Amino acid sequence: RSLHELGLVSLERGATAEAERHLHDALAVRVANGLRPGTADTLEALGTLASRQEGPDEATRLLGAADRFRTESGWTRSRADQ
C-alpha cells in the first residue's frame, strides 16, 4: 500500500516519473501477492497518469483493466470512493 500511496502523492505533486515508478512497483507487488482490489486501484492510478502523459487510448486500456479486475473479483467501491 505504501508504494501505491507514494505514487499518488507523486502524481498529485506533478512528479510523473516518480509516480510512474512507484505505481509500477506497487502493481508488481500487488499482482505477485494476488491483491486484486489493490491491483485495480493501482491500475486506475496508472490510468490517471496515462491520461496526463500518454493520451486517451492508454488511459482507457488501463481504466478498463481496473474495471475488469473489480468485476472479476466481485469487489465494488464504497460510495465514498466513487
Side-chain angles (χ1 to χ4, degrees), residues 75-82:
W75 182 75
T76 58
R77 294 175 160 276
S78 68
R79 268 195 158 313
D81 289 337
Q82 292 183 9

Side-chain angles (χ1 to χ4, degrees), residues 7 10-11 15-25 46 49 53-54:
S10 298
L11 184 59
T16 55
E18 184 178 300
E20 185 172 13
R21 185 178 68 250
H22 289 310
L23 291 170
H24 278 285
D25 289 348
L46 284 165
L49 177 63
Q53 286 189 306
E54 299 176 38

Side-chain angles (χ1 to χ4, degrees), residues 4 8 30 37-46 48 62-63 66-67 69-71 73-82:
H4 178 84
L8 293 179
R30 287 175 167 191
T39 298
D41 290 342
T42 301
L43 284 168
E44 190 171 85
L46 284 165
T48 299
L62 289 163
L63 293 171
D67 184 59
F69 266 90
R70 284 193 182 94
T71 300
S73 68
W75 182 75
T76 58
R77 294 175 160 276
S78 68
R79 268 195 158 313
D81 289 337
Q82 292 183 9

